[in-house]
Amino acid sequence: MSMIILEELGIAEELIQRRGLPLHAEESDLIVVETQQDGRTFLLTPATAQAWHAMKHQASIDGIDLVMISAFRSVERQASIIRDKLAEGCEVNAILEVCAPPGYSEHHTGRAIDIASIDDPHLEIRFELTPTFQWLTEHAAQFGFSMSYPRDNSFGFQYEPWHWCFKP
């Protein structure tokens, strides 16, 4: 990950250090886990994919449909997301409350998944009110998944009840 990208985006190294953001290397051992109707593919590490499939299967048995919204994301894709937000007029500090700097996103690891419910596929805090979230809070740990950004997390990210990472 290049410091040039961070400089280009106006992200100060001091901010990263102050928030204690861990650096996440871009995983290369990835497999296609799901493909959307529009052809978009989701990639995860093999172990994460196996855990995801097992968790999704059990949720289905329990009457819950887990919907994958996001999985592996490259450093360049993370930078592109931030560039788009900057182009829309968003301030970099506000962006970094909801989006990790390139190189610091768990999505680079191929172990992070953004999960939604079939009846509400938006990544919004209201996800915490869904049966899908309730199921995840009760069962995800059995499959090695944990919510990375609870309320008032130490990294300074907004509460993300939809963001779960495989940490066996």
Side-chain angles (χ1 to χ4, degrees):
M1 198 282 309
S2 172
M3 293 303 295
I4 296 170
I5 294 173
L6 295 177
E7 290 175 17
E8 171 210 333
L9 297 172
I11 300 172
E13 188 175 332
E14 184 273 328
L15 176 139
I16 292 166
Q17 292 173 354
R18 182 170 26 92
R19 287 177 47 183
L21 299 179
L23 188 64
H24 294 291
E26 211 175 77
E27 180 60 56
S28 60
D29 183 18
L30 301 166
I31 60 172
V32 174
V33 177
E34 293 186 12
T35 303
Q36 289 184 332
Q37 289 180 348
D38 65 2
R40 180 176 172 212
T41 59
F42 293 110
L43 305 171
L44 293 172
T45 66
T48 306
Q50 183 177 14
W52 166 252
H53 287 306
M55 183 169 73
K56 188 172 180 175
H57 176 72
Q58 184 59 53
S60 180
I61 290 171
D62 295 342
I64 300 293
D65 289 315
L66 300 180
V67 178
M68 185 180 294
I69 300 296
S70 182
F72 170 78
R73 193 179 302 145
S74 70
V75 169
E76 183 49 46
R77 176 68 183 123
Q78 192 76 9
S80 177
I81 290 168
I82 293 174
R83 282 186 200 103
D84 290 347
K85 290 180 182 291
L86 288 169
E88 293 169 2
C90 297
E91 295 290 327
V92 71
N93 287 337
I95 294 168
L96 296 179
E97 290 176 7
V98 297
C99 191
Y104 297 87
S105 172
E106 283 186 333
H107 286 287
H108 302 330
T109 69
R111 294 182 293 109
I113 304 172
D114 290 340
I115 303 170
S117 62
I118 201 159
D119 56 327
D120 188 0
H122 305 287
L123 301 180
E124 308 263 339
I125 292 175
R126 68 180 182 237
F127 176 67
E128 73 179 353
L129 304 174
T130 67
T132 301
F133 177 74
Q134 184 64 38
W135 190 92
L136 286 166
T137 59
E138 293 173 10
H139 302 284
Q142 297 166 19
F143 299 91
F145 287 91
S146 60
M147 183 177 34
S148 299
Y149 306 116
R151 290 189 190 282
D152 303 317
N153 63 80
S154 63
F155 299 117
F157 291 118
Q158 82 167 12
Y159 171 47
E160 293 189 356
W162 59 83
H163 182 98
W164 295 75
C165 193
F166 181 62
K167 300 173 185 175

